[in-house]
Amino acid sequence: MLLASLNPATVAAGADIGDAVRIDGAVLSRSDLVGAATSVAERIGGARQVAVLATPTAATVLAVTGCLIAGVPFVPVPADVGVAERAHILTDSGAQAWLGESPADLGGLPHVPVRLHARSWHRYAEPAPSSTAMVMYTSGTTGLPKGVPISRRAIAAQIDALVQAWQWTPDDTLVHGLPLFHVHGLILGLLGSLRVGNRFVHTGKPTPAGYAAAGGSLYFGVPTVWSRVVADAGAATALASARLLVSGSAPLPVPVFTQLTELTGRPPVERYGSTESLITLSTRADGERRPGWVGLPLNGVQTRLVHEDGSIAPHDGETIGSLHLKAPTVFEGYLNRPDATAEAFDADGWYRTGDAAVIGGDDMHRIVGRESVDLIKSGGFRVGAGEVETVLLGHPGVEEVAVVGLPDTDLGQRIVAFVVGDANPEDLITFVAEQLSVHKRPREVRLVESLPRNAMGKVVKKELMK
């Protein structure tokens, strides 16, 4: 059963938790979740697909859970998505109704509200593992978002692999304040908790104070969250009693890793994944946590590095290659996009992640970044933007930084650093040249007030390259 902790027979036999889920001021027991979500399932049974406005509310939790009980695929829609993008998601997915919370503009679809206090104890047969649980849309940085069907089998395999890697148990209390329309917050956070059977606390906004007050043993955050936590020493030290601090969705700056370790005594766990593959690499609860590295392949995951000419790159900790992988969590293809699907896989079924990486002799992985924006080809050299960013973040005058390659008639691409902070640009260029090979220094440093970010805190480098 995908949501193992919500097995009606087990809950009825007394395996209940009065505060299984805490979100937006609501507290739901396992019995509440089973009864109210089954009531939702009865109202949508037979639907082909529904849209869920993925606000962090009890209604969203019950909408998602009800869909999984009924076997109706759902489409988590960001609450702040633009009108044109939302219309594309609804049309492309074929959603037939809004379930739970709804936007002001329904886009021509009917609305099915979630009744928080309704209860049903009807028993549903478990849908086939191969069936689609949800269709999650990618961020669409290079065009309109693409729909990624995610199967029930992939979700179960994902959570079970992380249970092993993170020593995740029903005794944990998992805390995060992340969106419920991405893998990190929805699949790992909410569905992971409903499968494992641990308590789940959503803090609303992921503030340092909210994290400190939650009393969790397992915390999820993106780098922006952890940067704010280490800036609040009181909140950071309050997390010292936690068992595991997990960072993902973007690279964690090494200085933040170091500060978080010093303040909490807990070196953070880093992991890597995508909407298409879910999480495939992670450092382990009982293993080495190396700053700047995202760890080892999870159970069932195979990886390889590929040169531009198609040859296999060595695992020497230095050579950059295109990261390809196979895993039980990898999707089978984009919705309605056979062209994009064909581009995503090679002839042998390896998924081309689009990320550049380095693999060490010990199988530890380091992500250099997106091949399209983070792998800079300058003067005949291949330079990873992340390596330059890490060095710049070590300068006391740099608060945030993003490094990109901009077109250059002489070099092909010139390395340009966008810096938030108070430092002399020429000093920063010299600083990098002293720390790294001279060809890796920025040719230009631009001081900016802020960096463009998406809802998950990732820097949108495409905006800097315009």
Side-chain angles (χ1 to χ4, degrees):
M1 182 176 181
L2 178 59
L3 305 182
S5 74
L6 299 186
N7 185 320
T10 304
V11 173
D16 201 356
I17 294 180
D19 57 346
V21 171
R22 290 180 176 269
I23 188 168
D24 195 32
V27 180
L28 302 171
S29 68
R30 284 182 185 165
S31 180
D32 292 331
L33 288 165
V34 172
T38 303
S39 176
V40 170
E42 289 193 339
R43 304 187 71 197
I44 60 168
R48 183 176 63 252
Q49 198 131 263
V50 297
V52 175
L53 192 67
T55 52
T57 63
T60 297
V61 171
L62 295 175
V64 166
T65 308
C67 286
L68 293 173
I69 290 173
V72 173
F74 66 94
V75 183
V77 180
D80 61 351
V81 72
V83 174
E85 190 169 316
R86 183 195 302 151
H88 165 71
I89 290 172
L90 296 179
T91 302
D92 187 64
S93 68
Q96 295 174 293
W98 287 101
L99 176 63
E101 306 285 345
S102 65
D105 178 7
L106 295 175
L109 297 182
H111 174 223
V112 181
V114 166
R115 297 167 181 163
L116 299 182
H117 302 292
R119 298 290 184 270
S120 171
W121 307 109
H122 180 78
R123 299 290 180 88
Y124 282 82
E126 181 75 2
S130 60
S131 62
T132 298
M134 70 183 78
V135 178
M136 191 172 283
Y137 277 77
T138 60
S139 57
T141 55
T142 58
L144 288 171
K146 297 187 289 289
V148 178
I150 302 174
S151 72
R152 300 173 73 93
R153 178 185 289 117
I155 294 172
Q158 169 72 108
I159 296 165
D160 292 348
L162 292 175
V163 163
Q164 189 273 335
W166 296 346
Q167 299 178 358
W168 186 355
T169 77
D171 293 330
D172 278 309
T173 294
L174 193 160
V175 177
H176 77 65
L178 304 176
L180 296 183
F181 48 82
H182 283 304
V183 171
H184 199 166
L186 176 58
I187 295 180
L188 274 59
L190 177 61
L191 302 190
S193 297
L194 297 182
R195 182 169 177 81
V196 175
N198 57 272
R199 288 176 168 83
F200 172 73
V201 178
H202 195 285
T203 62
K205 292 183 178 180
T207 63
Y211 273 38
S217 62
L218 178 57
Y219 284 83
F220 290 172
V222 297
T224 303
V225 172
W226 297 124
S227 295
R228 292 171 181 169
V229 167
V230 299
D232 185 335
T237 54
L239 301 185
S241 60
R243 186 179 65 77
L244 218 59
L245 309 177
V246 178
S247 182
S249 299
L252 182 68
V254 172
V256 177
F257 182 107
T258 302
Q259 294 174 66
L260 193 59
T261 303
E262 292 173 349
L263 290 168
T264 66
R266 298 285 184 270
V269 161
E270 295 187 69
R271 87 298 182 282
Y272 161 84
S274 67
T275 305
E276 290 88 344
S277 69
L278 305 186
I279 307 306
T280 50
L281 305 168
S282 181
T283 50
R284 304 298 212 265
D286 58 355
E288 180 186 3
R289 304 175 203 176
R290 188 184 306 169
W293 296 71
V294 294
L296 306 168
L298 295 175
N299 283 348
V301 176
Q302 304 173 61
T303 63
R304 69 180 188 182
L305 290 182
V306 181
H307 286 306
E308 288 186 27
D309 63 4
S311 61
I312 303 301
H315 294 189
D316 57 11
E318 296 290 339
T319 303
I320 297 174
S322 176
L323 180 64
H324 293 189
L325 56 84
K326 289 184 178 182
T329 55
V330 172
F331 79 136
E332 295 183 358
Y334 293 105
L335 187 68
N336 306 322
R337 291 291 305 275
D339 55 335
T341 299
E343 291 177 5
F345 295 90
D346 74 3
D348 296 320
W350 287 88
Y351 169 56
R352 300 183 178 108
T353 66
D355 287 316
V358 169
I359 303 178
D362 57 359
D363 220 20
M364 284 283 278
H365 289 58
R366 177 169 63 85
I367 304 300
V368 173
R370 296 298 293 171
E371 293 180 279
S372 58
V373 295
D374 291 312
L375 185 58
I376 303 169
K377 300 174 183 177
S378 183
F381 295 98
R382 290 157 61 90
V383 180
E387 185 177 15
V388 182
E389 290 165 353
T390 295
V391 170
L392 285 169
L393 285 168
H395 190 284
V398 176
E399 297 174 18
E400 297 180 295
V401 63
V403 171
V404 300
L406 297 183
D408 188 277
T409 54
D410 180 39
L411 298 170
Q413 287 181 306
R414 70 181 185 279
I415 301 172
V416 179
F418 291 80
V419 171
V420 177
D422 182 16
N424 181 284
E426 290 301 320
D427 289 346
L428 294 178
I429 293 172
T430 301
F431 181 73
V432 174
E434 291 172 345
Q435 303 275 337
L436 301 175
S437 300
V438 69
H439 69 265
K440 296 181 180 180
R441 74 191 186 284
R443 299 302 178 116
E444 180 184 355
V445 171
R446 301 182 188 181
L447 299 179
V448 295
E449 292 294 319
S450 62
L451 300 175
R453 296 181 182 274
N454 64 17
M456 291 299 289
K458 293 182 183 179
V459 175
V460 184
K461 290 191 175 182
K462 294 283 188 182
E463 295 294 320
L464 299 173
M465 300 173 72
K466 291 180 177 178

